[in-house]
Amino acid sequence: MQKRNNLTTGPIGPALIAFTLPTLASSILQSANGSIDTIWVGRLLGEDAVAATTNGNLVVFLLTAFVFGFGMASTILIGQSMGRNDVTAARRVVGTVIGTFLPISAALAIAGWFLAPALLGVLETPAEVVPLAIQFLQIVFLALPPILIMTMLMMALRGAGDAMTPLIFMAVAVVVCASLNPFLILGIGPFPRLGIGGSALALTLANYISLIAMLIYIYRRDLPLRLRGPELAYLKPDLSILRLMVVKGFPMGLQMIVISGSLLAMMSLVNRQGVDTTAAFGATQQLWTYVQMPAMAIGAAVSAMAAQNIGAGRWDRVNQITRTGILFNLALTGALVVLLLLTDRAAMTIFLGSASDAVAIGQNIARLATWGFIPFAVTMVLFATVRANGQVIWPLIILFISMFPVRLGFAYGLQGWLGSDAIWYSFPAGMVVTMLLAIVLYRFGNWRSERDMRVPDAETAEASALAATVSGETTSSIGAAANPPRRREED
């Protein structure tokens, strides 16, 4: 068996960097996938198509966000299990995750195909881009099963201390998607000319190919989380693990829904400003994904390291991990914010073309809002640490406050004074409030006292299920004895 990465010993700084860099590279590749798609669509099909993909991708993000919360819960469970050197418990978590969410993702794909027009209507998508958005969104929904399962597996592997395998197969997905995009959009060679649908089909095929390749790699390398022989029975969801994942994953999923719901409301405001503003916002969103990537990657590394150290009882290292993560995040995110502000026009023209009227709008959005990712970077590390010990309720409450009363209140309430700039200022306003409340939670909250993230022993879980069954049968027997069936009159 390949030796797993132990994050509970050794210097914290080098370990955090070693774990962060592959995670960051994976995030860059994932974002590059979307950016390359946007570049192809923008250059080959125009601004209406960019606006269509912006709306379509937002819907998919909303529908996958809730399941993402359960992936975060599995990362914590696996991390703490590996910190306790309980590989069997980690494999049981993986089996339950895959066995539960494979049918769920298939159901979402089918439902999404039929509900695409209604979902775009909720977003108030401009009428001129609706046909393109429907074509794009329906095909992208077919990619949901591999996207969700790959996401779950990658998060599980990172929980076990493996950041390289996710990087390898994110690269596979990006290369395949980037290679297929122009052929399927333009109909080069034997490929059909599918327009915006070709972009969506390239994404779908790339994710199926990458998922299959990753599964082959996991088994050939005999990675610690693979399931073999009798372990395949773990694919039948363990109710005790599933219950724990629901308790922790549901609030984390709701956090993503809160963020997505706020963004949906913001998207509605943006769409009202016209196609140029929608396209500019779509390009800005692509650039922001790169600005926030160090914060996301370091947050993922902090979460994995903190979970393993909590599982190992190394609380002395948890505070050091958090402080180191914040310092790294401030340096990296701050540098990217400055870089984007210095090169905003050149960055916008990559997606929109130099002659587009949307470029100036995108520059204005970037200048007013990009600095908010600095407090966002601090929040990511603080939330990653408190979640690593299973505290998920207070981050949810904090996000709700900052996303709705603060962000939406700012955007809607100040439009009469600031015009459309109120929309862009609302992003950093929400991020600052989130950071301040996260600091209060980390310093004064009771998250360190959480003790319910241990995976129940298989024997204990089986005994509990048996006891529940016996109890139900006994209750039924007592009820039957107390209420014997009456004879029918004709008897």
Side-chain angles (χ1 to χ4, degrees):
M1 181 186 299
Q2 180 182 356
K3 184 179 179 181
R4 67 178 175 88
N5 293 327
N6 189 335
L7 303 177
T8 62
T9 59
I12 289 173
L16 187 61
I17 292 174
F19 195 90
T20 296
L21 289 179
T23 305
L24 177 58
S26 181
S27 298
I28 291 172
L29 288 172
Q30 186 174 22
S31 298
N33 205 18
S35 297
I36 292 170
D37 176 69
T38 301
I39 291 170
W40 280 120
V41 169
R43 294 300 181 91
L44 299 178
L45 301 176
E47 293 172 3
D48 284 0
V50 173
T53 58
T54 300
N55 281 268
N57 286 327
L58 183 56
V59 172
V60 173
F61 175 75
L62 174 64
L63 294 176
T64 57
F66 186 74
V67 178
F68 187 77
F70 293 92
M72 293 169 68
S74 71
T75 300
I76 296 169
L77 288 170
I78 290 170
Q80 291 205 12
S81 296
M82 298 300 277
R84 289 188 286 267
N85 293 313
D86 190 351
V87 178
T88 299
R91 290 174 181 164
R92 289 171 54 219
V93 173
V94 171
T96 294
V97 166
I98 302 302
T100 300
F101 290 103
L102 184 58
I104 288 177
S105 63
L108 283 174
I110 295 170
W113 177 277
F114 294 103
L115 294 177
L119 293 170
L120 292 170
V122 171
L123 283 178
E124 300 185 39
T125 304
E128 58 267 39
V129 303
V130 166
L132 290 174
I134 291 175
Q135 183 183 359
F136 177 82
L137 186 57
Q138 285 183 322
I139 297 176
V140 166
F141 267 116
L142 300 180
L144 274 183
I147 288 174
L148 293 182
I149 298 303
M150 276 189 65
T151 299
M152 293 289 189
L153 284 176
M154 288 179 176
M155 295 177 77
L157 289 166
R158 292 187 183 115
D162 180 3
M164 285 303 300
T165 301
L167 170 60
I168 292 170
F169 292 98
M170 183 56 66
V172 171
V174 171
V175 169
V176 173
C177 186
S179 301
L180 289 176
N181 246 310
F183 290 93
L184 292 172
I185 291 175
L186 297 176
I188 299 173
F191 295 93
R193 183 182 181 90
L194 300 176
I196 195 171
S199 175
L201 183 58
L203 176 67
T204 302
L205 292 174
N207 278 280
Y208 276 103
I209 291 169
S210 183
L211 174 60
I212 293 170
M214 183 166 66
L215 290 172
I216 293 172
Y217 178 89
I218 288 172
Y219 279 89
R220 287 197 172 178
R221 296 293 300 273
D222 197 28
L223 299 186
L225 297 183
R226 91 289 179 274
L227 304 179
R228 291 187 185 277
E231 295 169 344
L232 292 172
Y234 297 157
L235 290 171
K236 179 181 179 181
D238 184 316
L239 294 182
S240 62
I241 295 175
L242 189 58
R243 187 180 303 112
L244 187 55
M245 289 182 62
V246 169
V247 170
K248 298 301 179 182
F250 186 78
M252 284 191 280
L254 284 180
Q255 290 172 33
M256 301 299 291
I257 295 296
V258 166
I259 295 171
S260 302
S262 172
L263 192 55
L264 280 173
M266 299 297 289
M267 197 72 217
S268 177
L269 281 176
V270 171
N271 282 332
R272 294 176 191 174
Q273 310 302 315
V275 172
D276 282 345
T277 300
T278 301
F281 184 65
T284 306
Q285 289 281 78
Q286 290 291 333
L287 294 169
W288 282 351
T289 59
Y290 292 98
V291 174
Q292 69 184 350
M293 276 191 294
M296 301 289 285
I298 292 174
V302 167
S303 182
M305 290 185 69
Q308 285 200 17
N309 281 274
I310 291 170
R314 296 296 310 272
W315 281 96
D316 57 308
R317 290 170 58 87
V318 173
N319 286 334
Q320 297 178 50
I321 291 168
T322 305
R323 287 194 297 270
T324 304
I326 289 174
L327 290 175
F328 286 174
N329 245 347
L330 287 175
L332 290 173
T333 303
L336 286 176
V337 166
V338 172
L339 179 62
L340 176 58
L341 293 178
L342 291 175
T343 62
D344 54 354
R345 178 171 179 80
M348 292 294 166
T349 59
I350 293 174
F351 300 100
L352 301 169
S354 59
S356 173
D357 293 336
V359 170
I361 300 173
Q363 287 182 269
N364 183 56
I365 295 172
R367 291 167 183 169
L368 296 182
T370 303
W371 66 270
F373 286 98
I374 295 175
F376 169 84
V378 176
T379 302
M380 286 303 299
V381 174
L382 296 176
F383 276 178
T385 303
V386 301
R387 287 171 182 151
N389 201 37
Q391 174 53 263
V392 293
I393 299 300
W394 277 109
L396 172 61
I397 294 172
I398 289 172
L399 281 173
F400 182 84
I401 292 171
S402 59
M403 293 296 102
F404 285 94
V406 176
R407 177 181 287 181
L408 291 183
F410 200 104
Y412 280 92
L414 296 181
Q415 275 199 76
W417 177 34
L418 298 174
S420 62
D421 284 352
I423 301 173
W424 322 130
Y425 278 123
S426 72
F427 284 92
M431 292 172 181
V432 169
V433 171
T434 306
M435 180 191 70
L436 294 176
L437 294 177
I439 292 171
V440 173
L441 172 63
Y442 182 81
R443 291 291 303 274
F444 306 108
N446 65 346
W447 61 274
R448 295 172 181 83
S449 64
E450 299 283 340
R451 291 291 184 272
D452 56 353
M453 290 303 290
R454 182 183 292 271
V455 176
D457 295 335
E459 295 79 6
T460 302
E462 185 177 347
S464 298
L466 179 61
T469 302
V470 171
S471 175
E473 292 175 350
T474 302
T475 301
S476 298
S477 300
I478 293 173
N483 300 284
R486 295 181 179 180
R487 285 173 169 263
R488 292 187 302 175
E489 289 297 324
E490 57 266 36
D491 288 343

